[in-house]
Amino acid sequence: MHSPLTPTVLHGMVFLAVFRRGQLRIRFRTPPDRLPPQATWCDKKDACATVKGGLPKPAWWEKELKKMQPACEEEGATCHQWTSLLSDKAKGVLDNVLTTVETKIMEGSKTKQRNRVLRRNSQMDELYLSAPRNSEGSDRVFITPHIDGFLGWLPFFTAYRCVYGLTGPHETVTIQPMRDPDEQEVNVGPGDFTCFDYNREIHWIEHRAQANATLDDRMVLKLHFYEFPAIFSYIGDAFGDANAQYNFFARAAFLASQFPDKDIISRLIARGINGITLFGGSAEAVFGYMNMGIALILISAARGKGQTMLTIAGTCHFAVYILAFVFRSVRLGMLIRDAVAMKSISALLLTGTYAWECAKTGVNLKSFAVAVSGFAFSAYAFMQLGPALTYFGQELGQVVSDPVTAFPYGTVPHPMTLGSIVGLTGLRLHPTYGPKFHANYLLHVALYLTVLGLEVTGASVPAGMSYDSTYTEFMKFHQDAGNVIAHLFTTALGVAGVIGMAINYFGLNPSLNGAANDAKKTGAARAMTSPTLIAFGWSWILVRYTVPDEDVAYLTVALFVVTTYLVSKLQWSYMTCFAALAIGMGGQELAHHVSGEMPYLNSYAEVTPEAALTFILHNVWLLPFEIRAAVNVATAAYLPVRRGRSADRAWAWARDRHSLT
């Protein structure tokens, strides 16, 4: 049907194009049940919006705010009021609203199932009146793509900001571009709410004409929560306080610069806030900080070797395509952004290495003409199809579309794949660049054909074999704490053996490359591609699209990086690697025998397609599953609860130990 290729020239267009609905007869629909629940959007008509005692009418909230902030009525700008200063009646209603919202967050993020704790950060909560038409001073921040907090670089900890609607209908729309289409543009009316990661998710508001709107501005509650692994219960509050202190600082700066015409200090602060917001928000929206990190790590791993960069960094977009298509647990907005970002890295590397060779040896017109023609044809096909359909919006269940028949569709089969391969062939035709590029040419073509094969066959993980459902089955055979811990160590040893074999196979072990002494080995190691950085970048990509449990994803990446570093430093021989793998596998069987628990493998040991797929998923997710099981064992041992107490009770203990309020 299609295969994605987005040249660099289209990079900036995709971010805007994703919001142009209707041009290709696209309709968006609610995600199917196979996708994991998200702690995000709740419509007032849904059960998740039910508030004990009901919600007061909009006029009541307006009176409550203006009683505390008379200036709101006079200046017509954005107004804030801390909820801690509201009337006792308002606080009672607020507590019921908070209960409703936190229940939705816990369901969506699987707080209890993943041994995490959710707490309210009420010191940040505020009653808020927005004026999206005001684009002066720091009010401009709200209509600019931005991220609220700055602690997104901290793993394991999550802060939520929830916008709970109180008035409406109004003309203020919240834009959340990294979401699925039905959540990318939401009008938060009375009883509606949307929650997002305070430190990581980009968003902004816009003024949009609405036929039924009676209000120009909107009034909302901004509610805040923070979440962390239960094992971090004694330090989790420090994360909540850090977010609150930053919020106080940011709010003070906002108020000081809300009206820049008052004095030069306000003007300078406003320009600083808006400049930082514009740069930081644009970088996240168009490319993504995580994608930047992955790209820089993998490019650094190549030690300046162009074709090596193409191999390890220039193929990341294929991993994004394949993993998103097969596992189907990613939001469409984020997938489009990530795919475009990674494809842009590949395009830049292809262009850079080819241009460098042409500068040294001259331009070959035949090679250049074929390359430009192929890539241009692919780009034209992309523009005809649009980003939502190109990046599997229909396959992910997010888009319903009539067939696209505009040329080249309906005339040329799979035009993006064909154009891409023709373009790569043009590069291969260059008399001096081509031989250097040959291995990468074969690799890229093979990966394009793999993506095409997936599209034609529709191969993907069935809904009933998702990460969480497979983990539930896996844990039926890993209840004993000793068996769990033994499995983690033996699996890590087996993984170390496999990593060592890969290092040796790809020639990254200096002891196998003719280095006769320690000095030569050290010099060779420094000049070689870094296996540790490769493990860092690629494991980051793999878990991002296959492991929805974020705590486990972080730990999986850390384990891969540490293991690869140690194996590369020790320079294991093939014999050592095989021994580590054999001991690891044997140790797993021994652990099951000693604990008396039947291996999970025995539960599906049949010669059927379903059993074969279960075996594959079992091995793909084996390390994450064992890390999660080990974390649960460690949490149960760390928290003062009796042996065998459930995750729900462990969470309840942590909640009672540190009150949510």
Side-chain angles (χ1 to χ4, degrees):
M1 192 172 72
H2 57 268
S3 184
L5 175 81
T6 311
T8 306
V9 295
L10 293 174
H11 189 185
M13 298 169 55
V14 172
F15 178 64
L16 298 176
V18 71
F19 297 111
R20 295 180 180 175
R21 302 177 179 178
Q23 294 182 357
L24 294 172
R25 304 174 300 285
I26 295 174
R27 302 184 299 277
F28 298 101
R29 67 184 182 191
T30 303
D33 294 337
R34 65 168 293 133
L35 293 179
Q38 305 290 346
T40 53
W41 166 250
C42 182
D43 189 278
K44 58 181 174 291
K45 300 186 293 295
D46 298 334
C48 59
T50 303
V51 175
K52 181 181 178 182
L55 193 67
K57 294 184 180 300
W60 186 87
W61 290 103
E62 291 180 20
K63 181 179 178 181
E64 186 74 25
L65 176 63
K66 291 174 181 178
K67 178 176 64 177
M68 306 299 298
Q69 293 278 6
C72 290
E73 218 163 353
E74 299 173 8
E75 297 178 327
T78 300
C79 293
H80 307 250
Q81 178 59 51
W82 301 118
T83 57
S84 59
L85 302 177
L86 297 177
S87 66
D88 290 340
K89 181 178 179 181
K91 289 179 182 177
V93 175
L94 176 64
D95 184 67
N96 293 334
V97 171
L98 285 166
T99 300
T100 295
V101 174
E102 70 188 2
T103 299
K104 173 63 175 174
I105 293 176
M106 290 172 61
E107 291 174 354
S109 62
K110 294 181 168 58
T111 302
K112 294 180 181 179
Q113 296 93 317
R114 289 177 179 155
N115 259 323
R116 292 175 66 84
V117 176
L118 181 74
R119 293 183 184 157
R120 297 177 184 176
N121 207 352
S122 297
Q123 57 186 325
M124 294 173 64
D125 293 349
E126 54 189 311
L127 183 58
Y128 168 87
L129 177 69
S130 67
R133 290 195 181 192
N134 184 11
S135 60
E136 299 298 324
S138 52
D139 264 350
R140 189 175 182 84
V141 166
F142 301 110
I143 63 174
T144 303
H146 66 281
I147 298 173
D148 290 324
F150 78 105
L151 296 175
W153 50 272
L154 282 175
F156 305 108
F157 295 88
T158 303
Y160 293 103
R161 167 167 280 176
C162 299
V163 180
Y164 190 96
L166 299 175
T167 60
H170 52 73
E171 297 187 330
T172 302
V173 176
T174 300
I175 310 296
Q176 304 167 120
M178 297 300 109
R179 303 286 184 89
D180 286 325
D182 62 311
E183 293 185 12
Q184 285 177 350
E185 300 178 6
V186 294
N187 189 304
V188 182
D192 300 332
F193 64 89
T194 182
C195 298
F196 48 83
D197 191 321
Y198 178 78
N199 292 303
R200 298 184 180 97
E201 188 169 353
I202 191 165
H203 60 281
W204 67 94
I205 61 175
E206 291 183 5
H207 182 272
R208 299 275 184 85
Q210 305 285 337
N212 63 336
T214 59
L215 300 171
D216 183 46
D217 50 22
R218 69 169 182 175
M219 187 179 298
V220 299
L221 286 166
K222 285 188 175 181
L223 309 175
H224 301 84
F225 306 83
Y226 57 101
E227 188 184 62
F228 51 85
I231 200 169
F232 291 161
S233 290
Y234 290 103
I235 62 173
D237 289 336
F239 175 73
D241 289 339
N243 283 282
Q245 293 304 317
Y246 172 77
N247 188 62
F248 298 150
F249 166 78
R251 187 172 188 264
F254 168 83
L255 293 174
S257 60
Q258 190 174 11
F259 302 104
D261 292 335
K262 287 183 176 180
D263 54 63
I264 191 171
I265 300 299
S266 296
R267 188 176 301 113
L268 290 174
I269 295 175
R271 288 180 178 177
I273 291 174
N274 292 330
I276 293 172
T277 301
L278 180 62
F279 173 79
S282 298
E284 172 64 17
V286 175
F287 204 92
Y289 292 116
M290 187 172 291
N291 293 326
M292 291 181 193
I294 292 171
L296 289 174
I297 287 169
L298 293 177
I299 289 173
S300 300
R303 302 282 199 258
K305 298 183 285 290
Q307 292 300 320
T308 304
M309 290 183 195
L310 268 176
T311 302
I312 61 177
T315 55
C316 292
H317 57 295
F318 291 112
V320 173
Y321 304 158
I322 293 169
L323 295 175
F325 191 94
V326 172
F327 290 92
R328 305 195 179 188
S329 60
V330 62
R331 296 179 174 185
L332 183 59
M334 182 173 290
L335 171 59
I336 291 173
R337 194 272 313 272
D338 292 352
V340 171
M342 291 305 181
K343 180 57 199 168
S344 296
I345 293 296
S346 179
L348 287 171
L349 291 172
L350 282 169
T351 303
T353 54
Y354 183 74
W356 180 257
E357 189 67 26
C358 289
K360 291 193 301 180
T361 64
V363 176
N364 182 277
L365 293 179
K366 179 181 177 182
S367 168
F368 183 78
V370 173
V372 170
S373 299
F375 290 133
F377 184 73
S378 180
Y380 180 72
F382 169 81
M383 295 176 69
Q384 291 290 81
L385 196 62
L389 289 177
T390 297
Y391 296 109
F392 313 131
Q394 195 162 355
E395 290 85 347
L396 292 175
Q398 300 300 325
V399 174
V400 179
S401 172
D402 297 330
V404 177
T405 57
F407 182 82
Y409 293 95
T411 304
V412 179
H414 311 293
M416 267 188 273
T417 300
L418 177 62
S420 300
I421 293 176
V422 169
L424 292 169
T425 302
L427 302 182
R428 178 64 182 87
L429 290 174
H430 193 281
T432 58
Y433 181 79
K436 299 175 183 178
F437 177 61
H438 181 69
N440 269 311
Y441 170 74
L442 296 178
L443 176 62
H444 279 67
V445 169
L447 289 171
Y448 270 118
L449 294 177
T450 299
V451 174
L452 178 60
L454 289 173
E455 292 175 350
V456 171
T457 61
S460 65
V461 176
M465 302 177 75
S466 66
Y467 178 91
D468 289 308
S469 60
T470 305
Y471 173 73
T472 300
E473 292 300 312
F474 175 85
M475 283 306 298
K476 292 178 181 178
F477 305 89
H478 299 82
Q479 296 292 311
D480 183 81
N483 188 24
V484 167
I485 299 303
H487 262 66
L488 180 60
F489 282 101
T490 54
T491 300
L493 183 61
V495 168
V498 173
I499 290 173
M501 289 182 224
I503 289 173
N504 293 339
Y505 178 81
F506 289 107
L508 302 180
N509 185 345
S511 66
L512 300 181
N513 287 341
N517 53 53
D518 291 341
K520 287 184 178 180
K521 288 180 182 179
T522 302
R526 288 174 179 170
M528 280 183 172
T529 301
S530 170
T532 303
L533 292 180
I534 294 175
F536 193 2
W538 273 90
S539 62
W540 201 344
I541 293 173
L542 294 174
V543 301
R544 196 175 185 193
Y545 292 93
T546 61
V547 181
D549 185 339
E550 287 196 359
D551 295 341
V552 170
Y554 290 132
L555 292 171
T556 301
V557 172
L559 185 58
F560 265 104
V561 171
V562 171
T563 302
T564 305
Y565 175 79
L566 293 175
V567 172
S568 62
K569 283 295 182 183
L570 295 173
Q571 298 181 10
W572 282 4
S573 65
Y574 273 112
M575 184 62 69
T576 304
C577 295
F578 279 116
L581 178 60
I583 293 172
M585 294 175 66
Q588 289 190 16
E589 295 302 316
L590 181 62
H592 274 292
H593 178 74
V594 172
S595 66
E597 292 186 314
M598 184 177 73
Y600 177 41
L601 178 64
N602 290 8
S603 69
Y604 60 85
E606 302 172 357
V607 185
T608 64
E610 183 178 357
L613 180 57
T614 303
F615 176 76
I616 293 172
L617 294 176
H618 180 185
N619 284 276
V620 168
W621 286 326
L622 179 61
L623 188 58
F625 284 173
E626 290 178 354
I627 289 175
R628 166 48 64 195
V631 168
N632 291 346
V633 168
T635 302
Y638 175 74
L639 297 178
V641 293
R642 68 177 180 269
R643 180 178 175 84
R645 182 170 287 185
S646 68
D648 286 359
R649 291 187 177 182
W651 185 90
W653 173 87
R655 178 197 61 197
D656 296 338
R657 176 74 169 77
H658 300 270
S659 173
L660 286 171
T661 57

